[in-house]
Amino acid sequence: LLYHIQQTASGYQMLLFEVNPRTGGVIRSAEIPAEPAGEELFRAEVTADGTGVLIFARERVIQLDSRLTRTGEVQLPEQAVGTEYDCTDDGEQLCYVDEEGLWLLDSGEKKPVLLAAHPTASEGEPEIRLARPRFIEEGKGILTAEVQDGKTLYYTRYDLEDLEEALEDQEKDRNRKKDKDEDEETGLLEGRRVGIYPGTVLTEVCTDDYLVVLYPNREDTELTGYLAGTVHYFESDATFSFILPDDAEAGPRLIIHDRVYYFERVPQAGEENIVFELKVLELGSTMNRISSGLQVSNAEPRILGADTEGRVLFSFV
C-alpha cells in the first residue's frame, strides 16, 4: 500500500509511506520536497504495473521506483505549466487542457497537437470547458470531463489509435487548402461521450479500466442520506448505477480495485454507543455488497488503503 500526506506544517512537501497490508507496518518512507520552493505537489499515484510511483507537481512529474527512490522527472513544457494535465507511466506522453482545448505532446516532439477544442455552448448559456484529462487503457486513450457552470455535463473519451489517420488527413487538407490554422482550431479527434449522469461531482476516480463518479442524492426524498454513483467500464462501454450511505462521521470512501470500501453506521437500540461497520461494494453488473463484520464503536473511522486481495488499512479517532 502507498499512503501519502500532501502537505505538512513545514511547507510544501509530500511524505510517502509504503505500508505492509498484512501487518500495517511501515516498510519504508520518503520525503519529497517542493523544488523550487513553494511549488505545489498535487498527487501521488502508483503506476498501472505497480513497479513505480509518479508524483504530479505544478511544473513537473517526479518518477520513483518501487523502493521510493527517485529515478527521474518529466519537466512540463511552458504552455502546460499551471494547467490540468496527466502523463503516461513511462513519461513518454503528456496531455493537458488550456484555453484552446485538449493537447497531446509526445516525448521528443517540440510541438503539441490539438486533439479537441472546447465544446460550443448554446447562445446565452455559460461556456463549456474540457477538464481533468486522464490517460486510460494503458495510454491508448484520453478521458476528459465537460464542465459547465461548475457541473459536469459529460465525460468524453478520445481514442489515440485514430490519431495517425487524423494527422494524415490534416496534412492532406493543408496541402489542398493551404490553410494551416483551420484544423488546429477544431481539433483532430472526435470524442465519444461516456454514459454518466450529469451533475455536481463529489468524487471521481479514473483508472486505466474504469471511471467511478459519486453525486449528491439528486433531490430524491427516498434517497435522503445516500449518495448516487455510477461506474463505467471502458473496454465494454457498460455503465452501472449504485447508491452509498452518506454519513460524515463514517469518514471518506475508498474506491480502488473495482471495489468501494466504506464504513456504515449500524442502528443501535440505545443512544449510548455509535457503531460503524466496514462494508465493501463490488462494482459491476451485480453490485454485490459485503458486510465484513468488523465494527468500530464510539470513534470516527478513516479508510487509508486496500490491496488487491481485499486487506484494508484504516485508522480511527
Side-chain angles (χ1 to χ4, degrees):
L1 300 178
L2 177 72
Y3 180 65
H4 70 274
I5 301 173
Q6 187 169 2
Q7 184 178 349
T8 66
S10 59
Y12 284 96
Q13 62 181 336
M14 188 173 288
L15 302 180
L16 301 177
F17 300 93
E18 187 176 337
V19 180
N20 185 326
R22 295 181 181 275
T23 66
V26 175
I27 302 171
R28 57 181 62 89
S29 62
E31 179 179 325
I32 308 298
E35 298 173 356
E39 180 186 22
E40 189 172 0
L41 304 177
F42 297 131
R43 68 184 192 273
E45 293 183 0
V46 178
T47 56
D49 60 8
T51 62
V53 176
L54 299 180
I55 297 177
F56 293 82
R58 185 176 186 274
E59 300 180 2
R60 63 204 166 115
V61 180
I62 303 170
Q63 299 167 308
L64 310 176
D65 62 18
S66 60
R67 299 183 63 83
L68 305 184
T69 300
R70 189 165 172 167
T71 58
E73 71 176 38
V74 178
Q75 192 71 33
L76 299 187
E78 183 178 354
Q79 62 267 32
V81 173
T83 66
E84 294 181 326
Y85 75 92
D86 193 24
C87 81
T88 53
D89 288 349
D90 57 11
E92 293 297 314
Q93 287 187 309
L94 174 76
C95 66
Y96 60 93
V97 173
D98 67 1
E99 292 302 314
E100 294 184 63
L102 172 66
W103 295 84
L104 176 71
L105 179 62
D106 286 331
S107 176
E109 298 288 337
K110 294 183 179 180
K111 186 177 180 181
V113 295
L114 182 63
L115 298 182
H118 293 294
T120 302
S122 302
E123 186 176 354
E125 292 188 0
E127 65 177 357
I128 303 174
R129 307 281 294 180
L130 299 176
R132 308 193 297 273
R134 295 296 297 267
F135 283 104
I136 59 175
E137 297 188 297
E138 299 180 343
K140 296 177 182 178
I142 296 175
L143 183 81
T144 66
E146 294 185 24
V147 179
Q148 183 182 47
D149 199 22
K151 293 185 178 182
T152 300
L153 300 179
Y154 305 98
Y155 289 87
T156 303
R157 56 187 295 187
Y158 299 91
D159 292 326
L160 297 183
E161 294 177 344
D162 299 333
L163 183 57
E164 184 176 351
E165 182 179 349
L167 287 169
E168 292 177 355
D169 292 341
Q170 182 191 62
E171 188 63 28
K172 292 177 182 178
D173 287 342
R174 284 177 175 175
N175 294 334
R176 185 176 66 252
K177 299 177 181 179
K178 296 182 180 180
D179 185 353
K180 296 187 178 181
D181 295 328
E182 183 175 340
D183 289 323
E184 292 181 356
E185 293 176 355
T186 58
L188 288 168
L189 298 181
E190 290 289 334
R192 291 188 292 132
R193 283 179 172 171
V194 170
I196 294 288
Y197 184 87
T200 302
V201 172
L202 298 176
T203 302
E204 172 188 294
V205 175
C206 181
T207 72
D208 261 0
D209 304 316
Y210 61 86
L211 168 72
V212 183
V213 185
L214 296 181
Y215 308 92
N217 63 43
R218 305 177 190 171
E219 300 180 355
D220 188 332
T221 56
E222 295 182 0
L223 293 178
T224 300
Y226 287 86
L227 300 177
T230 53
V231 54
H232 178 86
Y233 291 95
F234 301 126
E235 183 176 1
S236 64
D237 210 28
T239 301
F240 305 99
S241 299
F242 59 92
I243 60 172
L244 288 174
D246 184 21
D247 191 330
E249 293 181 335
R253 296 148 293 275
L254 176 71
I255 303 171
I256 190 171
H257 304 312
D258 265 19
R259 302 184 187 102
V260 183
Y261 298 88
Y262 62 98
F263 278 94
E264 183 174 5
R265 188 163 179 171
V266 180
Q268 300 293 306
E271 299 182 357
E272 298 81 9
N273 294 320
I274 298 176
V275 179
F276 296 99
E277 181 175 351
L278 176 65
K279 294 193 174 183
V280 183
L281 171 63
E282 294 182 326
L283 298 174
S285 58
T286 59
M287 292 294 174
N288 185 36
R289 295 179 188 265
I290 302 171
S291 297
S292 70
L294 186 147
Q295 295 186 345
V296 175
S297 300
N298 300 319
E300 295 184 9
R302 180 183 179 87
I303 300 174
L304 304 179
D307 69 358
T308 55
E309 297 181 31
R311 284 181 288 264
V312 179
L313 178 69
F314 70 97
S315 64
F316 55 92
V317 179

